[in-house]
Amino acid sequence: MGRLKVMPGALEKIAECKLPRELNFGKIIAPAYIECDYKDGKWGELKLVPYAPLHLGPEAKVFHYGQEIFEGLKAYYTDRQGPFLFRPDQNATRFNLSAQRLGMPEFPIADFLESVTAMAHYCKEIIPTKSGESLYLRPCMIATEESLGIKPGLTYKYFVIASPSGPYFTGDSIKVYIERERARACPGGIGAAKTGGNYAASLVSGKRAQELGCGQTLWLDAVNKRYIEEMSGMNFMCVIEGIIYTPAMTDTILDGITRKSIIQLAQDFGMHVVEDKMDINKLLEQVAQGKCTEAFACGTAAIITPIRGFVEGNGKELAFKSADSKIAMKLRQELLDRQEGRKTAPANWRVLINAN
Ligand SMILES: Cc1ncc(COP(=O)(O)O)c(C=O)c1O
């Protein structure tokens, strides 16, 4: 079939793995992972190996210049249906867009798909089976060349780790902190790439968000500090007078696969979706007037998580008048039904892993 080699000990380690009853997000890492090294202009063997720390010189470029990209997708095995992956081809394509932006070699789409499929296949028995739980897969590429010159590395490592995970947020909804001073991404920058630097830029604000009781930071555009972009790890949507609004894609926003799937689903249900510039101050007025009735975060980790209010840096809070989040919760269920195998999904959305 594919070119993956299973190395001694990897399957035994997975077979020994027992899941605890309480699963957090991203805390438990599967005891085997996939790796592939790049040198002399080519990718080498694709291998499933027992989990072990990486050995890298402290001068490896990834540590100094942040030449790193990643993806996030889930394997679903709810009620032992599946396992399924959701639109992994989209992750593969986005991975290579990130690679291009960071001056890294592309990873062959077929190898990306084989690696995530193999993780779902070999880790089938450690995929949690409750709805909303999953095996979170994290493909990653780092520059491993041990040299301090500021230029793209000559050697790289691709790897995929897996984490049997529960929901990303513990509560049913979140408040979001409106970041009006700092910026996450700027035009022409790396905001649309899935790379560590964007997350590094968000962490201080994430700390402030936490102090304010918020689950995420809401980022505004870097130039006007006015137009909503996205959150630190998910996209933004809201409902105004029955219409779904989401910021139009720019090069400062990650093009979310959940976002585009929700847009398609909502349109299939006959709902109107508008992708446009969204002024934060206008939106807050609409929330206060009761015209904007819902907002929600969407992403692979968050699925769809309702936003119950917005918080400013000075602690001033604006909550939604009603907390029923009807449209968000309907879309969340419809999306999960397609990801977890209860409803027919559009072509190529749900990929069944042949895991005998
Ligand atoms: C910054 C950012 N925006 C949006 C998303 C949502 O993207 P997706 O739906 O593809 O997971 C994510 C999550 O991966 C993210 O990290």
Side-chain angles (χ1 to χ4, degrees):
M1 291 218 315
R3 67 185 199 89
L4 182 83
K5 277 195 182 167
V6 177
M7 303 311 280
L11 298 184
E12 291 77 357
K13 289 274 181 222
I14 296 170
E16 285 164 14
C17 181
K18 296 265 173 298
L19 295 185
R21 262 212 218 142
E22 276 293 304
L23 283 171
N24 295 307
F25 182 86
K27 292 259 166 65
I28 299 169
I29 302 295
Y33 69 101
I34 286 175
E35 64 173 11
C36 186
D37 289 309
Y38 180 90
K39 69 170 188 210
D40 301 330
K42 344 185 248 297
W43 288 102
E45 282 184 339
L46 189 62
K47 294 181 289 192
L48 180 73
V49 298
Y51 180 90
L54 300 178
H55 286 278
L56 291 177
E59 70 277 43
K61 286 192 196 288
V62 60
F63 297 134
H64 303 270
Y65 310 125
Q67 217 188 359
E68 180 266 2
I69 57 167
F70 66 98
E71 269 303 322
L73 68 165
K74 289 172 167 175
Y76 305 86
Y77 194 34
T78 306
D79 300 325
R80 299 187 78 81
Q81 275 214 79
F84 301 114
L85 294 175
F86 186 71
R87 310 189 74 177
D89 58 317
Q90 300 285 314
N91 296 95
T93 305
R94 192 171 64 186
F95 193 67
N96 282 340
L97 290 175
S98 299
Q100 281 167 20
R101 181 62 186 83
L102 274 284
M104 300 167 91
E106 292 193 14
F107 192 67
I109 299 265
D111 290 347
F112 183 100
L113 294 175
E114 184 177 356
S115 62
V116 292
T117 301
M119 283 305 276
H121 171 87
Y122 290 116
C123 294
K124 179 179 161 190
E125 294 306 327
I126 55 167
I127 305 180
T129 54
K130 269 195 240 147
S131 180
E133 297 180 339
S134 59
L135 183 72
Y136 182 78
L137 300 173
R138 170 56 62 86
C140 189
M141 192 203 301
I142 56 173
T144 52
E145 188 192 339
E146 294 167 347
S147 143
L148 292 178
I150 307 180
K151 47 189 165 188
L154 293 172
T155 60
Y156 294 87
K157 184 180 281 291
Y158 167 85
F159 56 88
V160 185
I161 53 172
S163 175
S165 288
Y168 190 79
F169 293 115
T170 44
D172 296 334
S173 64
I174 54 169
K175 292 192 287 188
V176 297
Y177 159 51
I178 305 169
E179 173 58 89
R180 292 193 185 259
E181 315 245 313
R182 301 179 190 94
R184 171 190 174 275
C186 66
I190 56 172
K194 206 161 164 63
T195 179
N198 291 322
Y199 299 83
S202 78
L203 297 178
V204 177
S205 303
K207 233 162 96 179
R208 181 75 189 122
Q210 224 179 353
E211 287 162 6
L212 292 165
C214 297
Q216 283 283 298
T217 301
L218 182 64
W219 294 99
L220 306 178
D221 77 287
V223 178
N224 305 289
K225 301 270 169 54
R226 186 170 152 201
Y227 297 106
I228 298 174
E229 301 220 304
E230 61 176 322
M231 283 163 282
S232 301
M234 41 211 75
N235 292 114
F236 178 84
M237 291 195 175
C238 66
V239 182
I240 303 169
E241 297 178 321
I243 295 171
I244 298 178
Y245 286 80
T246 187
M249 272 305 127
T250 65
D251 69 351
T252 53
I253 302 177
L254 189 79
D255 190 3
I257 297 160
T258 315
R259 175 188 177 278
K260 69 173 88 158
S261 304
I262 293 168
I263 292 173
Q264 192 176 325
L265 270 183
Q267 285 171 339
D268 288 350
F269 296 146
M271 297 184 69
H272 194 38
V273 182
V274 176
E275 296 178 69
D276 201 356
K277 273 192 161 181
M278 295 180 67
D279 182 326
I280 182 65
N281 297 327
K282 190 166 160 209
L283 181 76
L284 293 175
E285 268 170 38
Q286 288 168 317
V287 174
Q289 292 162 352
K291 288 186 183 160
C292 175
T293 45
E294 294 182 36
F296 52 94
C298 60
T300 299
I303 315 172
I304 289 179
T305 301
I307 293 169
R308 62 177 185 279
F310 298 91
V311 182
E312 301 281 357
N314 60 8
K316 191 172 156 225
E317 205 169 314
L318 177 63
F320 279 95
K321 296 199 184 310
S322 151
D324 66 2
S325 308
K326 264 199 201 132
I327 293 175
M329 294 314 282
K330 152 118 179 115
L331 288 170
R332 177 187 163 97
Q333 194 54 49
E334 294 288 345
L335 179 66
L336 273 174
D337 285 345
R338 282 155 183 82
Q339 292 171 327
E340 296 179 343
R342 289 178 296 273
K343 285 197 180 162
T344 309
N348 303 322
W349 274 24
R350 189 169 62 227
V351 178
L352 175 65
I353 307 303
N354 189 358
N356 296 315

